[in-house]
């Protein structure tokens, strides 16, 4: 009896090698010969059916079904036969083979009854649902990734340390070489025990805590951007705590499953036709606490994103409100209330200044109304949409007879903020200086004679004139 069993095992191993090597006809011949010699054998029927299915041909599919049914007549509860037959039925065309297709969900249910939570049962349920088979009822089976994380978390929580958990899983996998779920668990734990992966292990051990901390970080970042006036790209910091999770799910888990799938074929196990019980417990459905936590985190993230977006938009569209009140004297020069220069500037104010709602102003100072020592003109209003190069464009738009630019430079705008750019030029042979500023609530130009001032002195004079004319309206409460 023992010799006959060993011969059957040897015949199975030979047929399996032929199948793995793609020698499908040899695999079928070896399986048929062994079945004829040694009688019914679940493993040989499985090899025969798989060798027919691999041909991907309707006639071979019919022969595969016959091989599976013949094997199940003698071993009605063999999990591998039931699973292979169910996969054949679920993959069949429901129009060409309606009766075979209907048997798929029934066989999947049978596998789930015999071995709930087993890798075979989970695989069949997922395939039945992907194919739209309505015979599978009940909760949706967990994804391979959720199963993998659950098994790893359970193993880490019951072992003293990660290395012991990996050793224990490896021993179980050796005892059950055909169990895909144990093989995946072993590969996962082995990868998690490597140096530098303590954060990933903690993510596996405490998923709820990790999710709460990640959600709190995201909310804090989203609200800090407008609260601290940070640039918009600072919101990318919400991705920082997600990097370990991405490394875990996107690389480590997927590679562990790939390594488990690529392992050598398992030697046949003598189960004597008895159904195999799952070596790992079934993956439970999501608990109410998990669902409630996930829902709360999602609500908080949506709320924080909305608040952050509205807050940032209001900051972007807000602009400082100014009151224009020119003093009677600036830098020792008296304000002029008439003269051809003042009238010419008042008539030259461009109605196309960026920002539709604007209020112009023009002031000149000096002893000679025809040749003022200082001229300042501009507008107040909503300039938050003005482009960044508007200052340069405003300055370069000066086009008068005899105008010759000599140099220009960026200057410090002072306490009122915005941007300022100064320029040295000649107007009809007279050296002049011009400084243009722009902020969200005003724009303006200061012109005065060039008396040999350096860049800093020029900017200081322009700032003093601007600050003498423009007065921030503190009651408006708007931000620059």
């Amino acid at each position: 009896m023992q010799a006959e069993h060993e011969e059957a095992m040897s015949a199975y191993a030979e047929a399996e090698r032929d199948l793995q090597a793609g020698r499908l006809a040899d695999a079928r011949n070896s399986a048929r010969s062994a079945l004829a010699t040694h009688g019914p054998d679940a493993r040989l029927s499985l090899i025969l059916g798989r060798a027919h299915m691999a041909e991907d041909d309707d006639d071979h599919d019919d022969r595969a079904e016959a091989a599976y049914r013949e094997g199940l007549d003698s071993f009605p509860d063999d999990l591998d036969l039931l699973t292979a037959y169910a996969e054949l039925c679920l993959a069949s065309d429901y129009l060409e083979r309606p009766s075979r297709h209907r048997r798929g969900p029934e066989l999947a249910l049978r596998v789930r009854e015999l071995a709930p939570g087993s890798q075979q049962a989970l695989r069949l349920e997922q395939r039945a649902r992907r194919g739209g088979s309505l015979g599978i009822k009940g909760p949706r089976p967990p994804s391979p990734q959720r199963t993998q994380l659950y098994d790893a978390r359970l193993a880490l929580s019951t072992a003293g340390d990660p290395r012991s958990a990996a050793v224990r899983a490896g021993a179980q996998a050796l005892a059950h070489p055909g169990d895909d779920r144990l093989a995946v668990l072993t590969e996962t734990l082995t990868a998690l025990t490597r140096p530098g992966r303590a954060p990933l292990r903690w993510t596996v051990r405490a998923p709820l805590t990790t999710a709460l901390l990640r959600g709190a970080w995201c909310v804090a970042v989203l609200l800090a951007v407008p609260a601290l006036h940070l640039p918009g790209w600072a919101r990318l910091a919400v991705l920082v705590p997600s990097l370990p999770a991405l490394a875990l799910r996107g690389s480590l888990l997927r590679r562990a499953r790939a390594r488990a799938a690529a392992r050598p074929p398992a030697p046949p196990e003598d189960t004597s036709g008895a159904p195999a019980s799952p070596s790992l417990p079934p993956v439970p459905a999501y608990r109410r606490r998990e669902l409630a936590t996930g829902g709360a985190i999602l609500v908080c993230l949506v709320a924080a994103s909305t608040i952050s977006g509205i807050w940032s938009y209001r900051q972007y569209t807000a602009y400082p409100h100014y009151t224009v009140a020119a003093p009677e004297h600036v830098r020792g020069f008296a304000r002029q209330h008439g003269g051809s220069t003042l009238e010419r500037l008042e008539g030259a104010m461009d109605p196309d200044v960026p920002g539709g709602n604007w209020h112009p102003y023009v002031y000149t100072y000096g002893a000679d109304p025809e040749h003022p020592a200082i001229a300042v003109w501009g507008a107040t209003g909503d300039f938050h949409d003005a482009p960044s190069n508007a200052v340069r464009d405003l300055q370069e738009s000066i086009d008068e007879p005899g105008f010759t630019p000599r140099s220009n430079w960026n200057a410090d705008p002072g306490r009122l903020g915005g941007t300022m750019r100064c320029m040295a030029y000649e107007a009809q042979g007279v050296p002049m200086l011009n400084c243009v500023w722009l902020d969200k609530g005003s724009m303006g130009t200061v012109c005065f004679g060039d008396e040999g001032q350096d860049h800093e002195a020029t900017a200081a004079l322009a700032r003093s004139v601007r600050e003498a004319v423009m007065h921030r309206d503190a009651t408006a409460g708007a931000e620059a």
Side-chain angles (χ1 to χ4, degrees), residues 244-262:
L246 292 174
L248 176 68
R249 288 173 166 79
S251 177
L252 188 146
L253 297 182
R254 186 178 64 250
R255 291 180 181 177
R257 293 196 299 270
R259 288 194 298 271

Side-chain angles (χ1 to χ4, degrees), residues 48-273:
L48 182 57
R50 288 166 58 194
H52 279 297
M53 284 184 62
E55 296 286 359
D56 193 20
D57 178 82
D58 290 341
D59 292 337
H60 280 283
D61 286 348
D62 294 339
R63 293 168 189 168
E65 181 176 19
Y68 292 145
R69 292 175 71 90
E70 184 178 349
L72 289 171
D73 287 341
S74 300
F75 308 97
D77 293 335
D78 187 89
L79 276 184
D80 292 330
L81 272 175
L82 285 168
T83 301
Y85 189 18
E87 289 177 334
L88 171 65
C89 295
L90 291 171
S92 63
D93 192 311
Y94 69 94
L95 294 177
E96 296 181 359
R97 296 287 193 278
S99 58
R100 179 189 296 173
H101 187 79
R102 283 195 298 269
R103 278 193 290 273
E106 298 172 1
L107 292 165
L109 285 173
R110 179 59 179 162
V111 172
R112 187 168 69 174
E113 291 172 0
L114 290 173
S118 66
Q119 194 70 19
Q120 295 95 325
L122 294 176
R123 188 170 71 245
L124 286 177
E125 289 181 26
Q126 290 162 359
R127 183 160 187 170
R129 292 179 188 279
R130 285 198 304 269
S133 299
L134 302 179
I136 297 294
K137 299 180 180 179
R140 182 177 294 275
S143 66
Q145 186 179 100
R146 173 167 164 77
T147 302
Q148 190 176 4
L149 286 172
Y150 172 78
D151 291 342
R153 181 163 58 252
L154 185 63
L156 291 172
S157 63
T158 55
D161 59 89
R163 192 166 298 279
S164 298
V167 171
R168 181 182 301 178
Q172 288 180 298
L174 286 175
H176 303 277
D179 193 319
D180 293 339
R181 194 169 161 191
L182 272 176
V184 171
L185 174 60
T186 302
E187 293 291 346
T188 304
L189 292 176
T190 302
L192 286 172
T193 57
R194 291 171 185 163
R197 292 186 174 174
L200 300 184
R201 292 196 296 272
W202 188 78
T203 300
V204 173
R205 287 177 183 269
L208 277 183
T209 304
T210 303
L212 286 171
L213 291 177
R214 192 158 57 239
W217 169 267
C218 292
V219 170
V221 169
L222 290 172
L223 296 181
V225 168
L228 302 179
H229 302 280
L230 301 176
W233 57 261
R235 289 185 175 87
L236 294 176
V238 299
L239 301 177
V240 171
S242 299
L243 295 179
L246 292 174
L248 176 68
R249 288 173 166 79
S251 177
L252 188 146
L253 297 182
R254 186 178 64 250
R255 291 180 181 177
R257 293 196 299 270
R259 288 194 298 271
R263 72 190 191 279
E269 297 183 61
D270 185 12
T271 59
S272 302

Side-chain angles (χ1 to χ4, degrees), residues 21 117 198 214-215 283-284 288 302 334 344 378 402:
R214 192 158 57 239
V283 181
R288 290 185 178 180
V302 172
R344 178 172 56 83

Side-chain angles (χ1 to χ4, degrees), residues 135-451:
I136 297 294
K137 299 180 180 179
R140 182 177 294 275
S143 66
Q145 186 179 100
R146 173 167 164 77
T147 302
Q148 190 176 4
L149 286 172
Y150 172 78
D151 291 342
R153 181 163 58 252
L154 185 63
L156 291 172
S157 63
T158 55
D161 59 89
R163 192 166 298 279
S164 298
V167 171
R168 181 182 301 178
Q172 288 180 298
L174 286 175
H176 303 277
D179 193 319
D180 293 339
R181 194 169 161 191
L182 272 176
V184 171
L185 174 60
T186 302
E187 293 291 346
T188 304
L189 292 176
T190 302
L192 286 172
T193 57
R194 291 171 185 163
R197 292 186 174 174
L200 300 184
R201 292 196 296 272
W202 188 78
T203 300
V204 173
R205 287 177 183 269
L208 277 183
T209 304
T210 303
L212 286 171
L213 291 177
R214 192 158 57 239
W217 169 267
C218 292
V219 170
V221 169
L222 290 172
L223 296 181
V225 168
L228 302 179
H229 302 280
L230 301 176
W233 57 261
R235 289 185 175 87
L236 294 176
V238 299
L239 301 177
V240 171
S242 299
L243 295 179
L246 292 174
L248 176 68
R249 288 173 166 79
S251 177
L252 188 146
L253 297 182
R254 186 178 64 250
R255 291 180 181 177
R257 293 196 299 270
R259 288 194 298 271
R263 72 190 191 279
E269 297 183 61
D270 185 12
T271 59
S272 302
S277 59
S279 53
L280 292 170
V283 181
Y286 286 105
R287 296 175 296 174
R288 290 185 178 180
R289 180 182 176 188
E290 292 177 299
L291 295 175
T293 302
I297 292 174
L298 180 60
V299 169
C300 290
L301 289 177
V302 172
S305 299
T306 303
I307 293 172
S308 178
I310 294 175
W311 194 351
S312 295
Y313 180 74
R314 292 188 58 145
Q315 287 180 343
Y316 168 71
T317 58
Y319 65 94
H321 293 70
Y322 291 101
T323 298
V324 180
E328 289 299 319
H329 292 83
V330 168
R331 309 284 290 190
F333 296 103
R335 177 181 169 186
Q336 299 174 346
H337 296 276
S340 61
T341 301
L342 180 61
E343 294 174 356
R344 178 172 56 83
L345 291 175
E346 288 177 343
M349 290 303 294
D350 186 358
D352 294 328
V353 172
N357 184 20
W358 59 284
H359 306 282
Y361 60 86
V362 178
Y363 302 106
T364 56
Y365 291 85
D368 185 354
E370 304 302 323
H371 300 90
I374 298 175
V376 53
W377 68 92
T380 61
D382 182 0
F383 296 100
H384 82 272
D385 273 332
S388 58
N389 60 346
V391 169
R392 182 187 298 270
D393 292 344
L394 287 170
Q395 197 171 59
E396 292 178 352
S397 65
I398 300 175
D399 186 12
E400 298 179 351
F403 174 80
T404 305
R406 291 189 287 118
S407 64
N408 51 61
W409 65 94
N410 295 324
D412 179 10
R415 64 180 179 83
L416 294 182
T419 57
M420 179 178 284
R421 185 175 178 83
C422 296
M423 176 174 62
Y425 65 99
E426 291 184 2
Q428 297 179 348
V430 179
M432 298 290 293
L433 294 169
N434 168 292
C435 289
V436 178
W437 79 82
L438 174 69
D439 61 45
K440 287 187 176 184
S442 72
M443 57 77 58
T445 301
V446 181
C447 290
F448 46 90
D450 185 354
E451 299 178 357

